[in-house]
Every structure is written in C-alpha cells, then in structure tokens.
Amino acid sequence: MENMEFIKDLSAGATISQSAKLYRTQNIIDYTASDELSYTDIVNLTLALNILSEFYDVCAAVLVKNNTLTGAALGSILREAFEKAVDCNPIDAVCGVAAFSKAPDIELVKLLTSQHLAVAPEFDDEVIQYFEDKKIRFIKINTPLSEYKNYLIEEIYSTPFGTIVQDKNKKELDKNFFKVVSVTKPTVEQIEDAIFAWKITKYLRTSAVITAKDFKVSGISQGLQTSAFEYALNHACDNAKEAVLAADVPLTVHDLNAAVQNRISLIIQPGVSKDVLKQADKFNMAMITTGISNFSII
C-alpha cells in the first residue's frame, strides 16, 4: 500500500478466517506493549483512547469490549472512576480493555483479571510485576494523552465503489451554538454532566444515546434507531433518575415522554423541534442544543 510501511502480519482479522496486516502511517503513537496486539486489541484500544483523550487532565476510566463502550466515568481518584465505570455494565466489565488517564496503583489493578488489557500513560514497577505474575496484559502509552488527538488524521473506508478518505471528527462544542433553549435552566452540575456525556457520544456509532450523572455513564445505546432512547433508559434503569441524556438521534415527543417517565433532568442534542421543546417546557425539563451532529454510520 502506498505511503505506508509494513509492520507485521496480525494473527487474524475481524474474524479468524480473515488475514490482516498492520502498517505504519505518518502518524502513529508511541507505546510499549507487554504482548503482541491482535486486530481486536487495536480496534478496542482505539475506541478507548479516543474517549480517554477527552479527559486526559482528570481521573478517568474507560472500558471497551468488542469495539463497544461498556463503561466510562470520572472520579476524584482513579479507583473511584474505575468502580463507577464498572457499575455501568458489571457483566461485560470483567474483560476487555481497561484504560486509565493516570497511572493506576496496586490496589486498583488488583481489581483487574487476566481477561483485561490494561492501558495507561504510566505503570510503576510494583504494578508491572503484579501484571506479570497474574498474566495481565498491559500497554503503556508513551505519547502524552494531551497530544493524542493530533494523531487522529484520517479515516479510510474501502468499498467496491472506491476508497473513501475522510477527516476524523474533532468537532468541539462552540459557545456560539451551545444554547439552553428550555424555560427550565440547568444547574452547573447538570451542564457539566451533559458535556461529559456529549464528548462520549462523539465516538460512538449511529444513533448514540447516553445517560449520565455525576460524571458516570449509566446507560448506552448505539446502532439503533426508533428504540434508541428506550434502550438507553432501560439500561440505566433507576440510575436514570435526575440524570442527563445526550443524543444524536432526532428527539420525538414520544422519546421525550419516555425521558420524563424515567425522570431525566436534562437533554442535550443537536437541535430540537417546536413540538418537542413545548413538551419539555410542559414538564419543566431542561434542554440544551449544540448545533453539532456526530451522527455516524461507521
């Protein structure tokens, strides 16, 4: 392939019957891995680090399995962030990529299993020794997370109609378009949770809907359409109470009624129709529009 340097053959591709090769492009992060990375590892790591790079300056934990976000949270300390992330989906949290914005201490990594791939900017000697003893794979990201987005250059999608090359989505919230459009005004805490949730939806697949509270994701829906809101709310269950909901799906009156029934306190979305806004005001629900759609089918 032109302008790319061959690195190695991978053990398999997306399925065991597919072959895959890894190439070096102009922009590749610096990392140190305890073991060879598979196709699945690379895909999971990319999603985890995409999200983690949004929160590089705070204590954040992101969990990914099968290229699907299973949990994400911020905390006053890293262990709190991890435990909150696990609580989003305790079943799927037992394996997959566990990514941390800071160096995890020994007490935190004792919560991991041999089915995890631990990722962080730094690991101390005691933690590395524990990983080796327990056969837990780990990756040290040598490139600063604050610089990670500089390596998100292009997405390449090959089709029988040709190869599509597009820029990565690096859109940030703009104060000129970020508006509180409801009569009910959100609290500072609700706005912070809304921004936290919106930053995560940016990296999810089509029809992303997330519920969050206290910097903790509680419900996740992606890849759905008509049932996206209800799926996320059902996932959150009781944790939807007083939570915020971030969406890149057009909100209908039915969707808003479902959010009201589940006691969502604020909705953040690209835009809103008059009917939906009228219904939101009727139920004293706060609403923010961003003027930005991250809707993506791939």
Side-chain angles (χ1 to χ4, degrees), residues 6 98 128 151 157 191 212 243 255 282-283:
F6 174 77
I128 291 176
Y151 294 82
Y157 186 54
I191 292 175
D255 296 327
K282 176 182 176 180
F283 290 104

Side-chain angles (χ1 to χ4, degrees), residues 7 9 35 55 59 75 79 84 149 168 181 218 257 274 295:
I7 297 178
D9 290 305
D35 203 353
F55 311 107
C59 292
R79 176 163 180 163
K84 287 165 67 176
K149 287 186 181 180
K168 292 291 290 186
V181 294
S218 56
N257 288 339
K274 291 181 179 179
F295 189 91

Side-chain angles (χ1 to χ4, degrees), residues 45-233:
L45 282 165
T46 300
L47 175 57
L49 289 174
N50 285 351
I51 295 172
L52 199 67
S53 67
E54 294 284 349
F55 311 107
Y56 65 86
D57 55 345
V58 293
C59 292
V62 176
L63 304 176
V64 172
K65 177 183 177 182
N66 297 335
N67 196 27
T68 300
L69 177 70
T70 60
L74 311 183
S76 57
I77 61 174
L78 207 56
R79 176 163 180 163
E80 178 192 9
F82 177 69
E83 290 176 343
K84 287 165 67 176
V86 168
D87 192 50
C88 178
N89 186 340
I91 295 176
D92 284 324
V94 299
C95 59
V97 168
F100 306 100
S101 60
K102 312 291 181 183
D105 60 26
I106 188 65
E107 296 305 316
L108 172 51
V109 299
K110 285 182 179 179
L111 301 176
L112 302 180
T113 74
S114 59
Q115 299 302 308
H116 282 115
L117 173 57
V119 188
E122 191 64 63
F123 298 108
D124 65 32
D125 293 341
E126 183 182 17
V127 167
I128 291 176
Q129 185 61 56
Y130 179 83
F131 284 155
E132 293 174 347
D133 292 342
K134 298 296 181 180
K135 294 181 171 55
I136 299 174
R137 296 185 303 147
F138 62 92
I139 295 180
K140 178 178 175 293
I141 305 300
N142 300 318
T143 299
L145 285 176
S146 60
E147 300 176 10
Y148 177 83
K149 287 186 181 180
N150 296 332
Y151 294 82
L152 300 178
I153 305 299
E154 295 175 336
E155 292 176 327
I156 300 174
Y157 186 54
S158 296
T159 81
F161 300 93
T163 298
I164 300 171
V165 180
Q166 68 173 359
D167 294 336
K168 292 291 290 186
N169 180 7
K170 297 183 182 181
K171 191 67 176 178
E172 301 293 343
L173 292 174
D174 187 328
K175 64 180 181 181
N176 294 320
F177 299 100
F178 185 91
K179 296 178 180 179
V180 176
V181 294
S182 55
V183 172
T184 299
K185 305 308 177 187
T187 65
V188 172
E189 291 78 13
Q190 288 171 335
I191 292 175
E192 289 176 341
D193 275 337
I195 293 172
F196 164 73
W198 182 87
K199 286 184 175 182
I200 294 174
T201 62
K202 184 164 65 171
Y203 298 102
L204 302 187
R205 294 191 294 277
T206 175
S207 305
V209 178
I210 279 183
T211 60
K213 184 181 179 183
D214 298 331
F215 299 119
K216 168 193 167 185
V217 171
S218 56
I220 305 170
S221 174
Q222 56 180 329
L224 302 174
Q225 184 61 50
T226 55
S227 61
F229 280 88
E230 292 184 12
Y231 185 93
L233 291 168

Side-chain angles (χ1 to χ4, degrees), residues 184 256-257 260 278-285:
T184 299
L256 188 127
N257 288 339
V260 169
K278 181 179 178 180
Q279 193 77 346
D281 287 337
K282 176 182 176 180
F283 290 104
N284 300 316
M285 178 178 288

